[in-house]
Amino acid sequence: DTKDFLAAQKAWIQYRNINCSVFEFSETSQNLASLYLCEARLTKARIRLLQSYLSCLKNGGASCDIWPLSTSVEPCNTKE
């Protein structure tokens, strides 16, 4: 339901922000550009994942599953 989806999205955003902060904005590398690129990369991957899930549902998929989350997500510290 919508309430659960919104709660999941809020939790995912917290995960994304913390993950990128740890790997891209540490005490040794305070690079805001890297932080924002990390957040953008993970957000794009999340959008692809949700679009795939919605497409499955629209096509009548009785067993649509989003797990594993995404095997195509690149680590934050790689270049596009």
Side-chain angles (χ1 to χ4, degrees), residues 48-72:
R48 284 192 308 267
L49 175 74
L50 293 174
Q51 286 173 334
S52 175
Y53 180 70
L54 288 175
S55 177
C56 178
L57 291 177
K58 287 180 183 177
N59 292 322
S63 62
C64 298
D65 195 2
I66 61 171
W67 304 105
L69 283 177
S70 177
T71 56
S72 63

Side-chain angles (χ1 to χ4, degrees), residues 37 40-41 44 74 78-80:
L37 286 172
R41 193 173 295 116
K44 286 178 186 178
E74 299 174 13
T78 63
K79 303 291 183 209
E80 286 192 67

Side-chain angles (χ1 to χ4, degrees), residues 1-14:
D1 88 345
T2 304
K3 187 177 178 181
D4 289 340
F5 176 76
L6 291 175
Q9 279 301 104
K10 286 179 182 180
W12 181 85
I13 290 168
Q14 287 181 330

Side-chain angles (χ1 to χ4, degrees), residues 14-77:
Q14 287 181 330
Y15 158 79
R16 180 205 62 194
N17 293 347
I18 292 169
N19 185 62
C20 290
S21 292
V22 167
F23 292 107
E24 297 296 331
F25 197 71
S26 65
E27 292 179 16
T28 58
S29 172
Q30 295 186 353
N31 186 345
L32 281 177
S34 292
L35 176 70
Y36 295 141
L37 286 172
C38 176
E39 290 175 355
R41 193 173 295 116
L42 291 179
T43 299
K44 286 178 186 178
R46 178 70 173 180
I47 291 168
R48 284 192 308 267
L49 175 74
L50 293 174
Q51 286 173 334
S52 175
Y53 180 70
L54 288 175
S55 177
C56 178
L57 291 177
K58 287 180 183 177
N59 292 322
S63 62
C64 298
D65 195 2
I66 61 171
W67 304 105
L69 283 177
S70 177
T71 56
S72 63
V73 176
E74 299 174 13
C76 288
N77 57 1

